Amino acid sequence: MKTFARMTWRTFVVLFLTISTAAVAGGFIFVKGVEAAPVPDNPQSMKTQSAIKIVAADEKTPIATIQPPNGVREVVSSRNISPFIKKSLIAAEDSSFEKNPGFAPQRIASAAYGHLKGNEDAGGGSGITQQLVKNTLVGDEVSMERKWKELLSSTKLTATWDKDDIISSYLNVVYFGRGALGVEKAAQAYFGKHASELNLSESALLAGVIQSPSRHDPAVNEKSAHERFDYVKEQLKKNDLISQQEYDSMEFPHTIDPKPLDPSTGLNNETGHIATQALLELEAQGIKKEDLFNQGATIVTTIDPRVQKTVVDSARNAQNSSGLLSAVVSVDNATGAVKGMYGGDDGLGYDRADNDQLTGSTFKIFTLATALNTGAVSLDTPVSSDPYVIGNHTVNNSEGMSCGTCSVAEATKQSLNTSFYRIVDMIPGGANAVSDTAHKLGVTSPLKEADGSVNHSITLGTYGTSMRDMAFATSTILNGGERKNNHIVDHVSNRNGQVIQRANTKSERVISPKAANDVKSALAPIADYSNNNGIGKPSYSKTGTTEHPSLPGNRDGIMVGGSDTLTTAVWMGMADGSPRSDLWGATHPASLWSSIMRQVG
């Protein structure tokens, strides 16, 4: 017996030391984890979500408002939150809140035991601080790693923040149903008043709703709402958070009827395409939509209200009179900023302005720029307009036009296909060089075959380019060959009015000033030459037309060009891609281009 007793004692000592060592090591790991846990310095740094506002360059003309998926928050300070809702929240969600270190071990243990017994409603055992951390810092992924991070951050938050800051921050971010994120929106949604005006009974109802807004909203399930209200009322009394007199005075409050959630606006009309492009531009810079919701962001675009109205009104008028669809983009030459854009009336549908269209002979602008910039030709260089044979294919000019042999400038004016095939041959690097120059000027589409090769037909716009790219790349030439950063977002500010992102203003010399001026000289007579569609002042433009591949008539009509300050690209065609005998770059598109440029160019 003595030997057994000695062995038992030794075993106990070893076990005790092992547990103690593990506890010390675990405690050390926990302390280090708490120290490293990321928490905001103050309540103002916590993530809250508000609608994204998108406005024009004047910072007041609305373009779109995008609501967060669960509604918007209106953050209020602690002094503007009724003390009754704070007490009610403690009663409903975390009775040990005032004393616990950021979590309640007994709640976690109880929840774990409930789950082991198969109780799916046992919850996660999270108190108020943990729920705040979950909502704003670590997310709600179901994993041990996430729960561990939650415990660490909750502990650190409690050590660095006042309890009132914690509970006020939680009330500002939690979802109450009815599209109400935060107590201020909840007070308005349920009672038509401010959070500071909530009485004890109203506070108890709202605190009870948090557990399951879809179940405890009186407008959804009055029986469940009453039961939850009674529970919070009893917990208030049980935890000595209210007096007997206050308890006796509590009655189930009357709530107002739910109102429809504030919808996102401006997305299902023509401005929706602008909003989409602005968001995509910011995402490419590493700023996601979720970041913008958290910042309560206002996106100030480069859109000029006057230019935008002119573009949209003119495009719609042209569509109504011609029966053709259109796409229009206007770009500021000096800055690369989009000033006006029309991609269609359905802002949630296909954007005709930012998707590739066949551009026809307007792409000759970039062939000419390449040839002049490399010194392969001058505007006076003679070039033949005879039929051009390439492989088994013979290239001809539209409508049988010919100049015999004429200057590059004249071949540009008459848009002679065969002459431009020969100009491609004169360029060192040929069609590949044209593709490279177009990309440097601002075209983003691939401009190549599936095998990576580039066909001579690039000069006829066969690879497709968006009107936004056509306007921007041409504006680079009209800006003397210096490319700015093509952008539609000027700057972004947060809910406090602080600018958090500005447009990139970098510039790059792409072609020489002489080459750019020579291109402008060649394009100068074309607007007047195209059915007298000049704009009453110097302009530099090019028309383009693509034939239907199998039926008589043309499928696409394009006009691209500008003044010394603004460049506009126009595409027109039928919705189903069917041909029109009256569709040429020099007809409906040129008229639409001229209408816009006369007013704002």
Side-chain angles (χ1 to χ4, degrees):
M1 288 292 292
K2 290 182 180 178
T3 302
F4 176 75
R6 281 197 300 272
M7 290 180 65
T8 302
W9 174 247
R10 288 172 185 166
T11 303
F12 173 76
V13 169
V14 171
L15 183 61
F16 174 78
L17 290 175
T18 301
I19 293 172
S20 299
T21 302
V24 170
F28 178 78
I29 292 171
F30 185 79
V31 169
K32 288 298 182 181
V34 169
E35 290 178 355
V39 300
D41 294 331
N42 51 61
Q44 289 70 40
S45 304
M46 298 297 282
K47 287 192 286 187
T48 59
Q49 291 199 326
S50 304
I52 301 168
K53 296 179 181 178
I54 304 175
V55 297
D58 61 3
E59 302 194 30
K60 61 183 180 181
T61 302
I63 288 176
T65 298
I66 305 174
Q67 302 290 350
N70 290 325
V72 299
R73 293 187 179 100
E74 184 173 338
V75 177
V76 291
S77 64
S78 175
R79 66 176 178 273
N80 289 320
I81 299 174
S82 167
F84 293 127
I85 186 66
K86 297 176 184 178
K87 291 181 178 181
S88 296
L89 179 64
I90 292 171
E93 297 288 327
D94 189 356
S95 60
S96 68
F97 170 74
E98 293 289 0
K99 298 178 181 179
N100 70 44
F103 61 93
Q106 67 275 19
R107 284 172 59 92
I108 296 173
S110 175
Y113 180 70
H115 282 292
L116 285 173
K117 293 185 67 175
N119 180 8
E120 295 182 358
D121 293 327
S126 297
I128 290 171
T129 310
Q130 289 171 268
Q131 291 180 50
L132 173 61
V133 167
K134 180 174 67 174
N135 285 343
T136 61
L137 295 175
V138 301
D140 58 1
E141 176 190 358
V142 180
S143 70
M144 290 299 295
E145 181 184 4
R146 197 275 301 167
K147 196 68 178 178
W148 175 248
K149 290 179 180 178
E150 180 185 297
L151 288 173
L152 296 176
S153 293
S154 297
T155 303
K156 186 171 182 179
L157 201 64
T158 301
T160 54
W161 284 26
D162 291 337
K163 288 286 186 176
D164 186 65
D165 285 339
I166 293 173
I167 197 167
S168 298
S169 294
Y170 178 70
L171 284 166
N172 270 318
V173 302
V174 71
Y175 185 56
F176 288 86
R178 299 194 181 188
L181 283 163
V183 67
E184 177 65 19
K185 285 293 186 182
Q188 295 172 19
Y190 283 84
F191 303 109
K193 59 173 59 175
H194 295 295
S196 60
E197 301 169 333
L198 292 169
N199 63 34
L200 180 56
S201 294
E202 293 164 344
S203 296
L205 184 140
L206 286 182
V209 160
I210 292 172
Q211 184 193 64
S212 179
S214 61
R215 188 195 312 172
H216 300 317
D217 183 343
V220 176
N221 189 328
E222 188 169 355
K223 180 176 182 293
S224 178
H226 274 273
E227 290 173 351
R228 186 65 179 162
F229 172 81
D230 290 340
Y231 169 78
V232 177
K233 178 180 176 181
E234 293 302 322
Q235 289 297 110
L236 281 163
K237 180 66 171 63
K238 177 182 176 180
N239 291 285
D240 296 323
L241 293 168
I242 59 174
S243 67
Q244 183 65 47
Q245 183 178 358
E246 288 175 316
Y247 174 84
D248 293 338
S249 69
M250 291 181 70
E251 294 182 355
F252 189 84
H254 172 73
T255 58
I256 63 177
D257 292 335
K259 296 178 180 178
L261 298 182
D262 289 339
S264 296
T265 59
L267 295 180
N268 59 352
N269 55 36
E270 79 283 350
T271 57
H273 295 310
I274 296 172
T276 297
Q277 290 196 34
L279 292 173
L280 289 173
E281 185 171 301
L282 291 171
E283 186 175 353
Q285 297 168 17
I287 302 176
K288 297 180 181 179
K289 188 186 293 186
E290 189 72 12
D291 301 325
L292 297 168
F293 286 135
N294 291 335
Q295 293 277 8
T298 295
I299 301 171
V300 180
T301 68
T302 59
I303 297 296
D304 181 316
R306 176 169 169 260
V307 175
Q308 178 66 10
K309 185 177 188 307
T310 300
V311 163
V312 174
D313 289 350
S314 300
R316 286 177 177 159
N317 289 337
Q319 289 179 160
N320 291 336
S321 62
S322 68
L324 295 162
L325 296 182
S326 66
V328 183
V329 179
S330 293
V331 172
D332 186 284
N333 296 345
T335 65
V338 177
K339 292 297 182 179
M341 189 184 85
Y342 178 76
D345 289 322
D346 180 6
L348 298 173
Y350 182 76
D351 183 354
R352 296 192 294 272
D354 198 44
N355 280 283
D356 289 350
Q357 311 286 354
L358 294 179
T359 57
S361 290
T362 59
F363 215 86
K364 289 174 182 172
I365 294 173
F366 309 133
T367 302
L368 181 61
T370 307
L372 292 169
N373 191 58
T374 59
V377 302
S378 71
L379 292 182
D380 296 326
T381 299
V383 58
S384 170
S385 63
D386 291 342
Y388 180 96
V389 178
I390 181 168
N392 296 322
H393 178 64
T394 300
V395 179
N396 291 292
N397 293 313
S398 177
E399 300 293 294
M401 292 181 66
S402 175
C403 70
T405 296
C406 57
S407 69
V408 166
E410 184 64 24
T412 302
K413 178 182 174 182
Q414 295 190 35
S415 195
L416 299 172
N417 298 340
T418 59
S419 297
F420 268 82
Y421 265 66
R422 290 183 169 90
I423 292 172
V424 172
D425 284 335
M426 298 176 188
I427 298 170
N432 285 286
V434 175
S435 177
D436 290 343
T437 299
H439 284 142
K440 290 175 182 177
L441 288 167
V443 174
T444 59
S445 50
L447 303 178
K448 60 184 179 181
E449 303 292 329
D451 63 1
S453 63
V454 183
N455 193 291
H456 269 57
S457 64
I458 187 174
T459 197
L460 302 184
T462 55
Y463 289 121
T465 305
S466 73
M467 289 303 102
R468 178 171 174 176
D469 278 5
M470 288 300 295
F472 175 56
T474 304
S475 78
T476 300
I477 297 171
L478 302 192
N479 191 45
E482 186 175 354
R483 188 185 72 192
K484 300 294 184 176
N485 178 47
N486 184 217
H487 61 288
I488 200 168
V489 176
D490 182 79
H491 66 273
V492 182
S493 58
N494 63 19
R495 61 173 57 85
N496 298 318
Q498 298 169 315
V499 175
I500 58 176
Q501 184 78 356
R502 288 193 183 278
N504 183 346
T505 57
K506 70 176 182 180
S507 62
E508 179 183 355
R509 168 67 55 191
V510 178
I511 60 174
S512 69
K514 182 181 186 309
N517 286 331
D518 284 349
V519 174
K520 290 173 66 175
S521 178
L523 301 180
I526 292 178
D528 285 317
Y529 183 68
S530 302
N531 295 315
N532 296 313
N533 277 302
I535 61 174
K537 62 180 179 180
S539 67
Y540 321 95
S541 61
K542 185 73 186 74
T543 60
T545 307
T546 65
E547 297 178 352
H548 193 278
S550 58
L551 297 171
N554 297 321
R555 193 180 76 175
D556 307 273
I558 311 94
M559 177 74 156
V560 178
S563 63
D564 289 317
T565 57
L566 189 76
T567 298
T568 297
V570 171
W571 169 91
M572 296 188 77
M574 295 295 289
D576 60 359
S578 59
R580 284 275 295 262
S581 60
D582 63 340
L583 177 59
W584 299 80
T587 58
H588 302 291
S591 295
L592 173 53
W593 178 87
S594 178
S595 173
I596 293 168
M597 292 299 296
R598 280 180 176 275
Q599 296 178 72
V600 295

